[in-house]
Amino acid sequence: MTTFRYVLILFLFTSLYLPKSLAQTNRIDSLIQSIGKLEEDSVKVSGYIDLGREYFDSDLSRTIFYMDSAIQLGEKVNYKKGLADAYNLKGRAYAQQGNFQEAILTFQEALKFYQEIGDQTGEANILSNQGSIYFRLGNSTKALELHFQSLNISERLDNKLRIGTSLNNIGTVYSKNNSTIQEALTYFKRSLQVFEEINLETGMAIAAMNIGEVYFLDLNYDSATFYHQKALKLCDGTIDATFPLTQLGEISSQLGNFQDAYGYHQRALDISEKLDAKFELTQSLIGLAKTQIKQQDYRAAISSFERAKTLGIEIDAKNELVDIYENLANTEAQIGNYKAAYENEINAKSVKEEIAKSSTEKKIQQLQFEFELDKKEAEIELLQKDTELKNAEVFNQRVIIFASLGGLAMFVIISISLFRNNLSKQKANRLLQIQKEEIRIQRENVVSAYDKLKSTQAQLIQSEKMASLGELTAGIAHEIQNPLNFVNNFSEVSEEMVDEMKEELEKGDYDEAKSIGEEIKQNLSRIRLHGKRADSIVKGMLEHSRSNAREKVPTDLNLLANEFLRLSYHGIRAKDKAFNADFELEVDDQLPKVTVVPQDIGRVILNMVNNAFYTVNEKSKTGIPDYQPMVRVKTKKTKNGIELSIQDNGSGIPDAIKDKVFQPFFTTKPTGSGTGLGLSLSYDIIKAHNGELKVESKEGEGTEFIISLPLK
């Protein structure tokens, strides 16, 4: 159960409005009366904004109405501070309604005015709000960009509240990707430190439970318990307390402390039921059921899962439903209820398919949103140019009128005026032609962008099977294990029934023997069914993984190096628990993107990093005192392109064989530990990219492989 808390954004996404209290109604009436008596327009603008804030929790349409009034009046008197605040509140109202496109456009107007008046706090606020919208839309890259911009401004202002908020939000975006989970932990800890400095208990609690969640996923139960207990002290009794309580219950059950585990789970259930928090209650029931399974109380676990299932269906919590169905399938199988186990297994698969379909639709909606946003911005620009053209026409008409009136006084003046007016018309016509050409180009760009959107949508749908390969690989062991469990269970039961049938035959009770034979036949049919299911899973995985597309694309080498460095380290750790080595990644932040085939370059990096970890691990086994295995990966921009190096402090390569390392089938590893093709293939891949791969090594000190690639 992973539920990182994305908190402290400056507006809440919810469709529930609170009813107006009597005090609020009196406040609104007072504001309306006072606005009618005000004479200064700028003060009226502020009054409209206050009135819009009063309606924000109860009637968003009224909030937008009063913000439009404030904007209209603010533009009349050029009151930029009021315009900035009005656009900000209007954008928040659109976001609250789920109208994200209008929210982004409105926030952009607010940002423009905050920048004009030099209000950096307001600017940081707007950037954070926009980042929150893009995160909701699934665009993590854009969300990170905006949150980092907000963080930079907040750090310049030394605004601790905004710094802590941005750090937590950045950590939350990073936490959505397993490859950046350690970066998420770093930002969560920095956020906690900042909130502790200003003693903000809400921020401290959220940051602490996010840290606890990271440690929980890493199976570091001591650290997870410490931070969840810290969060619980700050938010006990609130809806946020259900999250650390549930995970503390699961941790206690993993450690065998079942009395403590049930205590935590009961507290989480009590809070959820008291506050009628159905989502939190669903998660609390799942945690309780897993503890009951740990204690082998399967009947109670099934009861808890069934209750959680009812709630999950009611609130459409798909990820929780997958967890529930899969656990129900395993638990029902444990007590021999194979029919119910199979039905839950089918339900789990159905919900997974719904999630995958929803993910595809969400990506398409995101592309559509960005296209519509670009189209809207283009329309606004066209309207602005159209207004400029109309103003130019009005100006020309005034020139003609004044020239005609002047001509009544003197013919010479009329001639001069007509001559000047003619020149003005020519200039206006040239300007008009230029602007018409710009409008035509912009319209063509909009049409081109739409065509690209349709093409991208088609490609996205076609490649969705490949996009799900990572999920398929991560879950394949579990998917195959379920039908194998059924095969093993039915085989064992059938074996016992054969012995029973022999006994009945020996007794001469042929009817009973035939009955047992029929049951054995049914079991064999079930074994064949689940065997076919396992076979279909494997075939599906193989079909899913077929892709020969290898095309060069602009690639961020820093991200590629980070991904495959961590992939190599954790892959070796998974195979050899005794393996231990340090690694560092030193990247050039200004490194430009390089056009390569990312799969091939990733393969090269992975091969050489694997070799580096292998050699430092072998050296560490020799027992050299104070030796610390270390692998460093560096990137930098050079005069002719970019350079990536993989350096280790292993045993090095002797000069006698240094020239042979790129030859096919040459290897220094023991028989069966390597093919000798890795460096040869890596060399060919780099050459195919018009690059260079070279090696520098000192025997006994270490080795460095250097990859040089051109930018184009």
Side-chain angles (χ1 to χ4, degrees):
M1 177 180 62
T2 57
T3 312
F4 289 95
R5 300 311 204 215
Y6 191 71
V7 296
L8 304 174
I9 56 177
L10 299 187
F11 55 88
L12 301 176
F13 296 91
T14 176
S15 59
L16 299 178
Y17 300 135
L18 301 176
K20 289 192 292 183
S21 65
L22 180 60
Q24 184 188 15
T25 303
N26 293 336
R27 166 74 173 159
I28 290 173
D29 292 341
S30 175
L31 281 171
I32 293 174
Q33 292 177 5
S34 62
I35 291 172
K37 298 176 182 178
L38 293 173
E39 296 182 0
E40 187 176 345
D41 288 337
S42 61
V43 180
K44 281 187 176 181
V45 171
S46 299
Y48 281 130
I49 294 172
D50 289 339
L51 191 55
R53 288 196 184 101
E54 290 296 321
Y55 277 109
F56 191 81
D57 290 329
S58 58
D59 190 344
L60 290 171
S61 61
R62 298 294 294 175
T63 297
I64 295 172
F65 170 78
Y66 283 115
M67 289 310 96
D68 287 337
S69 300
I71 291 168
Q72 183 179 3
L73 188 57
E75 289 175 342
K76 177 181 176 182
V77 298
N78 197 28
Y79 179 33
K80 294 184 178 180
K81 178 64 169 67
L83 287 169
D85 291 341
Y87 276 116
N88 186 4
L89 185 57
K90 185 179 179 182
R92 290 170 58 195
Y94 278 135
Q96 190 88 331
Q97 290 179 332
N99 190 347
F100 297 138
Q101 179 177 313
E102 289 298 333
I104 289 290
L105 292 171
T106 307
F107 280 138
Q108 287 176 351
E109 289 296 314
L111 183 62
K112 179 183 70 175
F113 285 112
Y114 279 130
Q115 289 173 337
E116 287 182 7
I117 63 178
D119 186 344
Q120 292 187 319
T121 300
E123 185 178 351
N125 183 357
I126 294 299
L127 291 169
S128 180
N129 288 349
Q130 289 179 317
S132 301
I133 290 178
Y134 279 106
F135 180 79
R136 290 277 297 180
L137 292 169
N139 191 340
S140 296
T141 301
K142 185 66 174 180
L144 277 178
E145 176 187 339
L146 292 164
H147 282 315
F148 272 117
Q149 291 178 16
S150 179
L151 175 62
N152 291 337
I153 295 173
S154 301
E155 288 178 335
R156 288 201 303 269
L157 298 175
D158 196 29
N159 186 328
K160 300 292 187 183
L161 174 59
R162 289 229 49 80
I163 292 172
T165 300
S166 295
L167 289 170
N168 185 78
N169 291 346
I170 291 169
T172 303
V173 179
Y174 275 133
S175 71
K176 297 305 175 186
N177 190 327
N178 289 334
S179 65
T180 56
I181 196 68
Q182 291 304 315
E183 286 83 352
L185 180 61
T186 299
Y187 281 98
F188 285 143
K189 286 186 175 180
R190 288 176 60 190
S191 174
L192 176 60
Q193 183 179 359
V194 172
F195 286 135
E196 286 176 340
E197 290 177 9
I198 60 176
N199 196 31
L200 182 63
E201 291 188 354
T202 303
M204 290 160 59
I206 297 300
M209 69 178 69
N210 282 344
I211 296 170
E213 169 72 354
V214 174
Y215 281 126
F216 177 80
L217 293 176
D218 200 32
L219 306 182
N220 188 342
Y221 294 140
D222 288 342
S223 297
T225 299
F226 173 80
Y227 283 102
H228 278 318
Q229 290 283 14
K230 185 182 185 73
L232 192 57
K233 289 179 182 178
L234 296 166
C235 66
D236 201 2
T238 70
I239 193 170
D240 285 329
T242 61
F243 181 70
L245 283 169
T246 299
Q247 287 211 337
L248 285 169
E250 291 189 40
I251 291 170
S252 296
S253 69
Q254 289 291 334
L255 299 176
N257 302 326
F258 293 108
Q259 184 175 356
D260 291 344
Y262 283 119
Y264 286 126
H265 288 311
Q266 190 58 51
R267 288 169 64 186
L269 290 171
D270 290 343
I271 293 172
S272 302
E273 290 172 341
K274 179 180 178 182
L275 299 177
D276 193 26
K278 294 181 179 179
F279 179 75
E280 284 71 15
L281 181 56
T282 302
Q283 291 193 323
S284 300
L285 287 166
I286 294 172
L288 172 62
K290 289 180 178 179
T291 295
Q292 290 166 335
I293 290 174
K294 194 75 176 176
Q295 207 175 16
Q296 297 184 353
D297 189 355
Y298 299 123
R299 297 290 182 184
I302 291 173
S303 176
S304 298
F305 277 130
E306 288 292 343
R307 187 180 172 196
K309 181 180 74 174
T310 302
L311 288 168
I313 293 172
E314 180 181 349
I315 63 177
D316 196 28
K318 287 187 170 59
N319 289 324
E320 282 66 28
L321 283 171
V322 171
D323 196 9
I324 292 167
Y325 284 130
E326 289 180 341
N327 278 285
L328 273 173
N330 289 331
T331 309
E332 294 282 8
Q334 286 289 341
I335 63 173
N337 191 352
Y338 300 115
K339 179 180 179 181
Y342 183 72
E343 289 174 351
N344 281 291
E345 183 183 328
I346 295 300
N347 289 336
K349 182 179 179 182
S350 176
V351 176
K352 285 181 180 179
E353 290 173 351
E354 290 179 16
I355 292 173
K357 181 181 178 181
S358 175
S359 176
T360 301
E361 292 174 350
K362 188 174 182 180
K363 290 176 183 177
I364 294 174
Q365 289 172 0
Q366 179 183 330
L367 290 172
Q368 185 70 37
F369 169 81
E370 292 176 356
F371 168 73
E372 291 294 341
L373 186 61
D374 292 340
K375 183 179 178 182
K376 200 86 171 181
E377 290 174 343
E379 289 175 354
I380 292 172
E381 189 173 349
L382 288 173
L383 287 173
Q384 291 174 342
K385 289 186 177 294
D386 187 55
T387 301
E388 292 173 2
L389 289 173
K390 289 180 179 178
N391 290 337
E393 291 177 0
V394 171
F395 174 77
N396 290 337
Q397 290 175 359
R398 289 178 178 175
V399 171
I400 294 172
I401 292 172
F402 288 136
S404 299
L405 292 174
L408 295 174
M410 187 179 291
F411 176 78
V412 176
I413 297 176
I414 293 175
S415 300
I416 295 173
S417 298
L418 290 174
F419 177 72
R420 289 179 177 176
N421 185 49
N422 184 50
L423 290 177
S424 178
K425 281 186 176 181
Q426 292 178 2
K427 184 177 180 180
N429 287 334
R430 287 196 299 271
L431 176 62
L432 182 61
Q433 289 299 324
I434 292 171
Q435 290 175 335
K436 284 183 177 179
E437 181 63 17
E438 290 177 355
I439 292 171
R440 183 188 64 79
I441 292 172
Q442 289 173 351
R443 284 175 177 165
E444 290 178 355
N445 289 339
V446 170
V447 172
S448 175
Y450 180 70
D451 291 338
K452 288 180 180 178
L453 172 65
K454 291 195 296 184
S455 175
T456 302
Q457 288 175 342
Q459 293 173 10
L460 182 61
I461 294 170
Q462 181 64 28
S463 63
E464 185 59 22
K465 291 182 180 179
M466 286 303 300
S468 64
L469 180 57
E471 296 178 7
L472 180 63
T473 303
I476 191 65
H478 174 77
E479 289 291 333
I480 293 179
Q481 189 61 47
N482 277 339
L484 288 180
N485 284 341
F486 282 108
V487 170
N488 291 334
N489 289 336
F490 284 126
S491 297
E492 184 178 346
V493 171
S494 297
E495 185 177 353
E496 294 173 358
M497 293 176 73
V498 168
D499 293 335
E500 292 177 12
M501 185 172 67
K502 288 180 179 179
E503 292 176 4
E504 296 300 329
L505 288 172
E506 290 174 357
K507 294 177 184 179
D509 191 347
Y510 296 109
D511 290 338
E512 183 61 24
K514 287 174 64 178
S515 176
I516 295 173
E518 286 298 323
E519 291 183 20
I520 293 173
K521 181 179 179 181
Q522 293 177 8
N523 285 350
L524 291 174
S525 176
R526 292 166 181 158
I527 290 171
R528 184 172 63 256
L529 172 66
H530 290 285
K532 288 182 178 179
R533 169 157 174 74
D535 180 65
S536 68
I537 290 170
V538 174
K539 288 181 179 177
M541 182 187 70
L542 294 175
E543 181 67 24
H544 198 75
S545 63
R546 289 174 185 163
S547 175
N548 297 319
R550 288 291 186 271
E551 61 182 44
K552 292 183 179 180
V553 295
T555 303
D556 187 337
L557 207 62
N558 288 340
L559 293 178
L560 206 63
N562 179 53
E563 176 184 354
F564 284 97
L565 174 60
R566 297 181 184 279
L567 176 63
S568 174
Y569 177 80
H570 292 295
I572 295 173
R573 284 278 294 172
K575 296 176 183 177
D576 183 6
K577 298 299 182 182
F579 170 79
N580 186 31
D582 288 339
F583 64 88
E584 292 180 357
L585 178 64
E586 299 176 16
V587 299
D588 182 355
D589 293 333
Q590 304 301 318
L591 195 73
K593 290 187 176 181
V594 59
T595 302
V596 297
V597 179
Q599 300 93 329
D600 290 345
I601 298 301
R603 180 181 177 184
V604 172
I605 297 171
L606 183 62
N607 177 269
M608 291 193 290
V609 172
N610 281 341
N611 287 345
F613 279 130
Y614 174 86
T615 188
V616 298
N617 189 38
E618 290 298 309
K619 185 173 180 179
S620 68
K621 294 177 181 178
T622 61
I624 299 175
D626 299 325
Y627 173 70
Q628 179 59 44
M630 172 61 71
V631 174
R632 289 185 175 87
V633 179
K634 302 178 183 179
T635 64
K636 67 177 182 179
K637 187 179 184 302
T638 63
K639 181 178 180 181
N640 299 320
I642 59 96
E643 184 174 287
L644 183 147
S645 66
I646 296 93
Q647 182 180 14
D648 64 70
N649 63 345
S651 301
I653 302 173
D655 292 338
I657 64 171
K658 193 181 296 183
D659 295 334
K660 300 179 181 179
V661 296
F662 296 117
Q663 294 179 6
F665 305 106
F666 178 83
T667 179
T668 59
K669 295 179 180 178
T671 302
S673 298
T675 63
L677 289 174
L679 287 177
S680 173
L681 292 173
S682 298
Y683 185 86
D684 291 341
I685 290 171
I686 297 302
K687 282 297 182 183
H689 283 79
N690 298 319
E692 182 181 7
L693 174 60
K694 59 183 180 179
V695 58
E696 296 178 358
S697 180
K698 289 185 179 180
E699 189 172 0
E701 295 183 12
T703 302
E704 182 179 16
F705 284 89
I706 302 170
I707 301 170
S708 300
L709 291 170
L711 290 177
K712 294 184 179 179

